[in-house]
Amino acid sequence: MIRSVIIIGAGNVGLHLGRAVSGLGLSSLKVFARRIKSGYDKSVLKFLTSDPVVFSEKADLVILAVNDDSISAVCSQLEDRGQIVVHTSGSTPMNVLAKFSRHGVLYPLQTFSASGKLDYRTVPFFTEANGPGVLQELKKFASLISGSVTEAGTDKRLKLHISAVFVSNFVNHMYSVAEEICREEDIDFNVLMPLIKETVSKIAIMHPKQAQTGPAVRNDRTTISKHLEALKSDLQKQELYRLLSESIHQKNQKNEKL
Amino acid sequence: MIRSVIIIGAGNVGLHLGRAVSGLGLSSLKVFARRIKSGYDKSVLKFLTSDPVVFSEKADLVILAVNDDSISAVCSQLEDRGQIVVHTSGSTPMNVLAKFSRHGVLYPLQTFSASGKLDYRTVPFFTEANGPGVLQELKKFASLISGSVTEAGTDKRLKLHISAVFVSNFVNHMYSVAEEICREEDIDFNVLMPLIKETVSKIAIMHPKQAQTGPAVRNDRTTISKHLEALKSDLQKQELYRLLSESIHQKNQKNEKL
């Protein structure tokens, strides 16, 4: 049973995991940050440490919440003492942790920001492990945090991550572009919020392809041309508009052929 | 005061406007459809008509809820009798209605689908008119439907429409692409819903640029390469991923320079 946890990394994922785990009443929790910046509240400071001694401390579970590129470097600083070592990356194979006799993955499918609170019960966790015993322990532990824990191998996790990039990072970029267009016209971006929310509500009740509206899916060349013309002072936005419209149109044609 | 309304066009916008207006208790409402398809419920059938006599009937307000390309053709079938004639298009100048002595625009900023109910009070309406009297009448009428009625000229409306395409049509396309990736891996698309909702919640409390997370904004080339490699069997998705990542990266660099 997992009673003590060390989290390496105090970025968005590390800190949010720290907050989630701190509510579980374990015997010990430490979150390692290379530097402890100012501005943390008390609830975070109580488990935050910048003392590299944690790398040699004993814990039931060590969670690597560092950038994907840093996982190997952190691994080389850790010794295998029979603790479970997991990473939290969507796009890194489990076997980068092969030097540890008990290892796995704990991938939370969510967008974490420094600010903003989250209900961790609703965050889906995906687990993988190098043996059934480790898997069971990880599942049990993740279930203490979240109501949705699923096993997913390296390939499936990669596809989950890519899907997440589309529905979160790329979607947010669309918001960002629209915000810029609104700002240039002195339009309050908030006027788009009912539309943004309705767009999400629709896919809860219908297939995204059925929910597709707008000039591109109608192949309304007149409107598309007007929009491209209006964006001509910003070639990047214009190109983005053109390609996304083209992609919607092509997808729609493909569906019609089926 | 507007007491009788004719809506020309029974597509998504026409039908939704019909539903919204039917709740206002006007003396008369008719919605013209070229063909009345089966499957309409009673509440819609009571105001739906396919009798072209409506084109010569008297009404205080005629709303053209047809495709942008059809506005001119419909105009040529209508005579100017002092009624207010408006279109509902985001990207069509008001002056296409210049033959009518009292004309304007009533643009609802929302995504309308055949299925799905809407709270019309939350739909922002943008109005424009060829005179202060008409504008006042239109604003009064729109305020009966919605809690958000704003004046917006042709240029501003065009930019609103483009912004709407980004935050709704393009966003929905991202959902659609992700749904396809999930389906191929036997992943339930609903597992992405908490992430989708959180992505929207974040921009209600922070600027979209601050809310940007993911490999592209971190310029995490390793992860981006893995994702592009995993998408190699679908060149369209791969290209979309590449361009959106590039666009996020460029935008971020631009901001850093500022």
Side-chain angles (χ1 to χ4, degrees):
Chain A
M1 187 158 167
I2 293 166
R3 296 289 306 151
S4 54
V5 174
I6 292 170
I7 298 173
I8 309 283
N12 291 334
V13 174
L15 278 184
H16 273 282
L17 275 180
R19 282 199 192 96
V21 173
S22 74
L24 304 181
L26 303 184
S27 65
S28 162
L29 165 67
K30 286 184 182 171
V31 178
F32 175 77
R34 263 180 305 180
R35 277 191 307 274
I36 298 181
K37 294 173 251 173
S38 60
Y40 289 118
D41 59 44
K42 271 186 194 170
S43 65
V44 172
L45 284 171
K46 73 179 177 192
F47 55 67
L48 215 55
T49 175
S50 60
D51 187 345
V53 76
V54 293
F55 286 89
S56 47
E57 276 179 356
K58 212 183 132 45
D60 299 325
L61 173 66
V62 177
I63 301 175
L64 311 183
V66 296
N67 283 340
D68 294 11
D69 290 342
S70 309
I71 294 176
S72 300
V74 174
C75 280
S76 68
Q77 292 181 262
L78 288 170
E79 270 177 56
D80 183 19
R81 291 197 194 83
Q83 78 279 48
I84 300 176
V85 179
V86 298
H87 70 61
T88 55
S89 162
S91 298
T92 305
M94 180 178 70
N95 64 18
V96 298
L97 304 175
K99 79 171 235 191
F100 303 100
S101 54
R102 306 170 78 212
H103 64 269
V105 178
L106 208 55
Y107 172 54
L109 187 72
Q110 189 49 280
T111 170
F112 297 107
S113 295
S115 51
K117 291 199 172 175
L118 265 177
D119 175 8
Y120 299 107
R121 294 299 305 164
T122 68
V123 177
F125 276 75
F126 293 88
T127 57
E128 186 181 6
N130 73 323
V134 179
L135 184 66
Q136 210 188 340
E137 284 208 61
L138 282 178
K139 276 188 170 177
K140 213 167 168 181
F141 176 75
S143 300
L144 298 173
I145 301 173
S146 165
S148 165
V149 179
T150 316
E151 200 184 335
T154 292
D155 288 350
K156 200 166 203 165
R157 195 170 61 249
L158 179 65
K159 292 297 177 72
L160 275 164
H161 193 195
I162 296 173
S163 302
V165 167
F166 274 93
V167 303
S168 181
N169 306 152
F170 292 167
V171 161
N172 187 75
H173 186 51
M174 299 297 104
Y175 298 152
S176 198
V177 170
E179 191 278 334
E180 217 169 80
I181 296 171
C182 286
R183 192 153 27 93
E184 283 161 11
E185 289 288 320
D186 271 330
I187 298 165
D188 180 1
F189 178 68
N190 285 317
V191 85
L192 295 170
M193 283 310 290
L195 174 60
I196 288 171
K197 286 179 183 165
E198 177 62 15
T199 304
V200 173
S201 299
K202 275 168 73 173
I203 56 155
I205 54 165
M206 64 179 99
H207 195 285
K209 279 194 202 87
Q210 290 176 308
Q212 190 68 56
T213 57
V217 75
R218 290 196 306 269
N219 198 24
D220 175 351
R221 308 310 300 178
T222 313
T223 302
I224 293 171
S225 298
K226 282 179 192 164
H227 289 182
L228 290 173
E229 169 70 19
L231 292 172
K232 70 179 174 194
S233 64
D234 188 332
L235 294 179
Q236 231 179 291
K237 284 197 191 76
Q238 195 191 46
E239 188 58 11
L240 208 53
Y241 186 102
R242 193 196 313 275
L243 285 157
L244 286 163
S245 294
E246 194 55 39
S247 178
I248 290 173
H249 180 55
Q250 282 176 2
K251 194 179 193 76
N252 195 50
Q253 282 196 313
K254 204 168 76 181
N255 293 336
E256 276 172 2
K257 277 184 208 146
L258 291 175
Chain B
M1 186 160 168
I2 293 165
R3 297 288 306 152
S4 54
V5 174
I6 292 171
I7 299 173
I8 310 283
N12 291 335
V13 174
L15 278 184
H16 273 282
L17 274 179
R19 282 200 191 96
V21 173
S22 74
L24 304 181
L26 302 185
S27 64
S28 161
L29 165 68
K30 287 184 181 169
V31 178
F32 176 77
R34 262 179 305 180
R35 277 189 309 272
I36 297 182
K37 294 171 251 174
S38 60
Y40 288 119
D41 59 45
K42 271 186 193 172
S43 64
V44 171
L45 284 171
K46 73 179 178 193
F47 56 68
L48 215 57
T49 175
S50 61
D51 188 345
V53 76
V54 292
F55 284 90
S56 46
E57 275 179 357
K58 211 181 131 47
D60 299 325
L61 173 66
V62 177
I63 302 173
L64 311 184
V66 296
N67 282 340
D68 295 9
D69 289 344
S70 309
I71 293 175
S72 301
V74 175
C75 280
S76 67
Q77 292 181 261
L78 287 170
E79 270 177 56
D80 183 19
R81 291 197 195 82
Q83 79 278 49
I84 301 176
V85 179
V86 298
H87 70 62
T88 54
S89 162
S91 299
T92 305
M94 180 176 71
N95 63 19
V96 299
L97 304 175
K99 80 172 235 192
F100 303 100
S101 54
R102 305 171 78 213
H103 63 269
V105 178
L106 209 56
Y107 172 54
L109 186 73
Q110 188 51 279
T111 170
F112 297 107
S113 294
S115 51
K117 292 199 170 174
L118 264 178
D119 175 9
Y120 300 106
R121 295 298 306 163
T122 68
V123 177
F125 276 76
F126 293 88
T127 58
E128 186 181 7
N130 74 323
V134 180
L135 184 66
Q136 210 188 340
E137 284 208 62
L138 283 178
K139 275 188 170 177
K140 213 167 167 180
F141 176 75
S143 300
L144 297 174
I145 301 173
S146 165
S148 165
V149 180
T150 316
E151 201 184 335
T154 292
D155 287 350
K156 200 166 202 164
R157 196 170 60 250
L158 180 64
K159 292 297 177 70
L160 275 164
H161 193 195
I162 296 173
S163 302
V165 167
F166 274 93
V167 303
S168 181
N169 307 152
F170 291 167
V171 161
N172 187 76
H173 186 51
M174 300 297 103
Y175 298 152
S176 198
V177 170
E179 191 278 335
E180 218 169 79
I181 296 170
C182 286
R183 192 153 27 93
E184 284 161 11
E185 288 289 319
D186 271 330
I187 298 165
D188 181 2
F189 177 67
N190 286 316
V191 84
L192 295 170
M193 284 309 290
L195 174 61
I196 288 172
K197 286 180 184 165
E198 176 64 14
T199 304
V200 173
S201 299
K202 275 167 73 173
I203 57 155
I205 54 165
M206 63 179 98
H207 196 285
K209 279 193 202 89
Q210 290 175 307
Q212 191 68 55
T213 56
V217 76
R218 290 196 306 269
N219 198 25
D220 175 352
R221 309 309 299 178
T222 313
T223 303
I224 293 172
S225 298
K226 282 179 192 165
H227 289 183
L228 290 174
E229 169 70 18
L231 292 171
K232 71 180 173 193
S233 65
D234 188 332
L235 293 179
Q236 232 179 290
K237 283 198 193 74
Q238 195 191 46
E239 188 58 11
L240 208 53
Y241 185 102
R242 192 196 313 275
L243 285 157
L244 285 163
S245 294
E246 195 53 40
S247 178
I248 290 172
H249 179 57
Q250 282 175 3
K251 193 178 193 76
N252 195 50
Q253 281 196 314
K254 204 168 77 181
N255 293 336
E256 277 172 0
K257 277 185 208 148
L258 291 175

